[in-house]
């Protein structure tokens, strides 16, 4: 295969040089004004007087913040999915299927060609950051692998299709890089995400893979199948994929996965790079600078706003933008894009670590917190507390979920119950109890409210921790028909979800050990 790296590196250096000189504030304002001009003649544009928008402040006085459900009912209405000319002038023939991980409700996100071009441009910038910072890279001397979700596309109306964003994106891969993309067509067409990953692993055994990207849990699953396909279970990844130099991950908080990937990549030359990509926008990417946080992609046709958490959920909240955000403050992310989303509440919580260039981290989800007893603990805090506790004993967290266990009739206090897949699997009751203790202590350090509620075990008792067999969550998703695609097991479960008899029985079958055996069926 021709090594295209030198040519692409020249482009990468030029592009990164331009990005380093980019004034993000001016770029974001230009983006907003351009979006408003392009959509001024749509039904939405006329109703909200987008043609009159001359500044960010003008826009914020005309366009309220809306959730997906509000966009669908108030803006698109009964004609959905035939939304041409309603909120974006370009015909919309593709929709990305995505699900809220806490509710399971599916969304159909418009993906017209302009937005797909934005996604592709962001991916190009991600590789540009890496190539410009890695002068000895030979990334495009071999194939690059993307772990796709569902590749099947469903016709939801005549001439209109919907599918997983990775499957849709595969249709729009720039022709220039297609020769260096590894996904055999025969594998793409296999029905079922798990079967496709298994065949992909078999095909990859003899291939000179240079990079791989996917959700962390997908990557772990793939690496395990790769070792099985090669007949070399137990050997390091550096032996299975000796030319691998880049692992791209995103989609979930990486804190609990890092110890696992540190072990997987031990002895390998592969670098880890994080992305923040959603169906609605490719928001940010690791710019390979080593700085804390991912760089906001400010010139990709998406305008971003940031709502203080106390104002989240309001129709007319206080709204910041890149011109006036503060460092270290948690904001609910709101965006307007070239897919016809305007003042759209994405549901993520972000926190800026730098302003020039703007860098941020994903701090969790707006609506996903654990507060059965008034403790208000966010997903990111649970993930960090558990990840730190497990790492302290030399374990990684492959996956987990937490739910609240209400108090018994003769008690006032309830507790949190962690269901965890450890890497490697953990069966020592003493170690599990110690991780539970450390996670409890760490969470009190991270969340003052939780610390107050935990005082003297009066409102919230010490947590229970259950160690599950490897693959438990994937097995449950498979049984539920939701393995792969944009589906993710919720990190925080409602009491109703956790109390389902079928789920309880399944957990009991998969339990290796727990810190409070008398509470196993709580």
């Amino acid at each position: 295969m021709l090594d295209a790296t030198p040519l692409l590196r020249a482009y990468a250096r030029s592009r990164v040089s331009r990005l380093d000189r980019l004034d993000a504030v001016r770029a974001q304002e230009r983006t907003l004004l351009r979006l408003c001009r392009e959509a001024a003649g749509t039904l939405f544009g006329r109703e909200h007087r987008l043609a009159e928008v001359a500044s960010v402040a003008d826009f914020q006085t005309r366009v309220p913040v809306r959730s997906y459900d509000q966009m669908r009912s108030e803006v698109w209405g009964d004609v959905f999915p035939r939304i041409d000319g309603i909120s974006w002038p370009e015909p919309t023939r593709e929709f990305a299927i995505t699900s809220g991980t806490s509710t399971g409700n599916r969304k159909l996100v418009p993906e017209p060609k302009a937005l797909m071009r934005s996604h592709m441009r962001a991916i190009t910038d991600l590789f540009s950051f890496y190539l410009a910072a890695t002068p000895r890279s030979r990334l495009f001397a071999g194939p690059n692998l993307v772990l796709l979700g569902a590749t099947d596309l469903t016709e939801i109306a005549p001439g209109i299709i919907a599918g997983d964003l990775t499957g849709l994106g595969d249709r729009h891969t720039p022709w220039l890089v297609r020769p260096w993309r590894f996904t055999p067509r025969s594998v793409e067409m296999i029905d079922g995400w798990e079967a496709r990953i298994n065949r992909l692993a078999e095909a990859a055994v003899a291939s000179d893979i240079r990079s791989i990207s996917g959700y962390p849990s997908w990557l772990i699953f793939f690496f395990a199948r790769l070792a099985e396909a090669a007949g070399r279970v137990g050997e390091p990844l550096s032996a299975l994929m000796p030319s691998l130099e880049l692992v791209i991950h995103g989609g979930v908080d990486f804190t609990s996965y890092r110890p696992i990937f540190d072990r997987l990549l031990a002895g390998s030359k592969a670098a880890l790079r994080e992305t923040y990509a959603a169906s609605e926008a490719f928001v940010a990417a690791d710019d390979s600078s080593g700085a804390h946080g991912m760089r906001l992609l400010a010139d990709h046709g998406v305008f971003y706003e940031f709502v203080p958490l106390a104002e989240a959920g309001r129709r007319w909240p206080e709204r910041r933008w890149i011109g006036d955000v503060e460092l270290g403050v948690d904001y609910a992310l709101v965006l307007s894009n070239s897919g016809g989303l305007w003042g759209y509440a994405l549901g993520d919580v972000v926190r800026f670590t730098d302003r020039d260039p703007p860098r941020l981290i994903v701090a969790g989800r707006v609506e996903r917190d654990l507060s059965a007893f008034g403790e208000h603990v966010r997903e990111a805090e649970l993930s960090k507390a558990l990840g730190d506790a497990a790492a302290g004993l030399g374990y990684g967290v492959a996956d987990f979920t937490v739910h609240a266990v209400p108090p018994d009739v003769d008690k006032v206090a309830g507790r949190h119950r962690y269901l965890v897949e450890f890497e490697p699997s953990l069966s020592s009751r003493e170690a599990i109890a110690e991780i539970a203790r450390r996670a409890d202590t760490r969470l009190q350090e991270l969340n003052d409210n939780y610390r107050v509620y935990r005082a003297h075990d009066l409102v919230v008792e010490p947590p229970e921790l259950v160690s599950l067999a490897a693959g438990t969550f994937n097995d449950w998703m498979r049984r539920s028909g939701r393995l792969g695609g944009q589906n993710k097991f919720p990190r925080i479960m409602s009491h109703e979800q956790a109390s389902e008899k079928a789920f309880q029985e399944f957990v009991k079958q998969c339990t290796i050990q727990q810190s409070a055996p008398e509470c196993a069926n709580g």
Side-chain angles (χ1 to χ4, degrees):
M1 177 176 284
L2 172 70
D3 185 1
T5 313
L7 178 63
L8 295 175
R9 183 183 290 112
Y11 166 81
R13 287 171 173 165
S14 174
R15 172 61 178 162
V16 171
S17 177
R18 292 197 302 272
L19 288 173
D20 287 343
R21 297 193 304 270
L22 180 72
D23 184 330
V25 174
R26 291 186 61 190
Q28 276 287 276
E29 187 170 34
R30 286 196 302 266
T31 294
L32 175 63
L33 298 181
R34 183 172 64 251
L35 289 172
C36 290
R37 285 196 305 271
E38 292 183 15
T42 64
L43 178 62
F44 182 93
R46 296 192 302 271
E47 290 178 346
H48 294 79
R49 308 194 326 274
L50 294 185
E52 301 173 23
V53 171
S55 67
V56 173
D58 283 349
F59 176 79
Q60 292 175 338
T61 61
R62 287 169 169 79
V63 178
V65 174
R66 289 182 170 96
S67 66
Y68 174 81
D69 289 337
Q70 290 169 330
M71 282 291 304
R72 183 151 178 177
S73 62
E74 298 174 11
V75 177
W76 299 320
D78 294 338
V79 299
F80 188 89
R82 295 197 172 280
I83 61 173
D84 296 356
I86 295 180
S87 60
W88 189 250
E90 181 185 354
T92 301
R93 299 291 177 264
E94 296 179 350
F95 288 80
I97 300 175
T98 184
S99 64
T101 55
S102 59
T103 64
N105 294 331
R106 299 207 314 173
K107 299 184 294 185
L108 293 171
V109 178
E111 299 286 345
K113 290 181 180 179
L115 186 56
M116 292 304 302
R117 286 194 296 270
S118 173
H119 295 326
M120 295 302 109
R121 188 178 182 189
I123 293 170
T124 301
D125 280 355
L126 171 66
F127 280 104
S128 294
F129 285 135
Y130 175 76
L131 289 175
T134 316
R136 302 182 67 178
S137 169
R138 297 191 62 208
L139 193 65
F140 290 94
N144 295 265
L145 193 160
V146 178
L147 297 181
L148 301 179
T151 57
D152 55 311
L153 303 174
T154 303
E155 189 173 53
I156 57 176
I160 300 177
I161 60 173
D164 185 87
L165 179 63
T166 57
L168 291 174
D170 186 55
R171 292 160 51 93
H172 295 269
T173 302
W175 66 268
L176 187 63
V177 299
R178 280 187 177 273
W180 292 273
R181 168 186 160 278
F182 178 82
T183 306
R185 190 64 181 166
S186 60
V187 174
E188 285 182 343
M189 302 310 294
I190 295 174
D191 290 334
W193 181 83
E194 184 176 13
R196 191 164 56 254
I197 291 295
N198 289 338
R199 285 288 299 277
L200 194 61
E202 294 170 3
V205 167
S207 299
D208 192 29
I209 303 296
R210 299 303 172 110
S211 78
I212 184 170
S213 61
Y215 290 123
S217 58
W218 293 9
L219 292 165
I220 294 170
F221 187 88
F222 173 81
F223 291 148
R225 294 299 183 269
L226 180 69
E228 292 173 2
R232 301 167 69 178
V233 175
E235 292 194 28
L237 189 61
S238 58
L240 297 172
M241 304 181 80
S243 298
L244 184 68
E245 61 173 277
L246 180 61
V247 177
I248 303 168
H249 64 89
V252 296
D253 183 357
F254 195 64
T255 304
S256 61
Y257 290 104
R258 182 165 292 281
I260 298 174
F261 278 82
D262 286 344
R263 279 198 294 272
L264 281 170
L265 299 179
S268 169
K269 62 181 181 181
L272 284 166
R273 294 292 182 269
E274 185 172 8
T275 64
Y276 176 19
S279 300
E280 297 85 350
F282 199 123
V283 182
D286 188 330
D287 65 359
S288 298
S289 67
H292 182 46
M294 293 173 281
R295 189 189 292 201
L296 182 76
L297 302 177
D299 67 338
H300 286 190
V302 183
F303 176 71
Y304 298 102
E305 297 175 86
F306 309 94
V307 174
L309 279 188
E311 300 268 321
R314 297 182 182 178
R315 199 171 184 82
W316 297 99
E318 174 190 343
R319 292 154 79 169
R320 302 292 185 95
W321 66 297
I322 197 62
D324 58 8
V325 292
E326 298 179 12
L327 302 183
V329 175
D330 286 353
Y331 294 105
L333 180 61
V334 171
L335 61 83
S336 300
N337 69 8
S338 53
L341 295 176
W342 297 94
Y344 175 82
L346 188 61
D348 289 340
V349 177
V350 299
R351 183 184 310 136
F352 280 87
T353 60
D354 203 347
R355 291 188 61 178
D356 187 20
R359 292 191 178 91
L360 53 78
I361 61 172
V362 181
R365 293 282 292 174
V366 173
E367 296 180 355
R368 277 195 292 172
D369 69 353
L370 187 57
S371 192
F373 317 111
E375 65 274 37
H376 294 294
V377 177
R378 294 210 308 275
E379 177 189 329
E381 294 168 335
L382 290 164
S383 181
K384 181 163 183 55
L386 180 60
D388 288 353
L393 269 67
Y395 289 88
V397 177
D399 213 342
F400 77 94
T401 189
V402 186
H403 67 90
V405 179
D408 297 330
V409 290
D410 58 341
K411 294 167 58 179
V412 175
R415 66 181 182 279
H416 294 168
R417 186 184 193 213
Y418 294 76
L419 306 177
V420 188
E421 287 181 38
F422 289 101
E423 168 61 40
S425 294
L426 179 54
S427 59
S428 165
R429 181 174 297 177
E430 292 74 17
I432 293 169
E434 178 62 15
I435 291 175
R437 186 192 68 77
R438 293 188 181 198
D440 182 40
T441 300
R442 187 74 178 103
L443 192 56
Q444 292 183 55
E445 295 171 353
L446 295 170
N447 188 299
D448 289 339
N449 210 44
Y450 178 75
R451 176 175 51 79
V452 171
Y453 275 63
R454 277 284 296 113
H456 310 298
D457 300 347
L458 294 179
V459 179
V460 182
E461 292 182 337
E464 172 192 358
L465 195 151
V466 180
S467 176
L468 300 177
T472 294
F473 292 107
N474 277 341
D475 287 345
W476 178 256
M477 296 293 280
R478 183 185 302 108
R479 292 190 182 194
S480 307
R482 294 185 292 127
L483 183 63
Q486 293 290 310
N487 300 305
K488 299 188 272 300
F489 199 95
R491 287 290 171 86
I492 297 175
M493 296 183 74
S494 69
H495 177 63
E496 290 73 21
Q497 290 172 316
S499 298
E500 291 181 5
K501 185 176 180 180
F503 181 73
Q504 287 195 339
E505 288 299 320
F506 181 75
V507 168
K508 187 186 298 184
Q509 295 169 13
C510 298
T511 295
I512 298 175
Q513 190 56 268
Q514 56 199 70
S515 62
E518 71 279 9
C519 301
N521 299 315

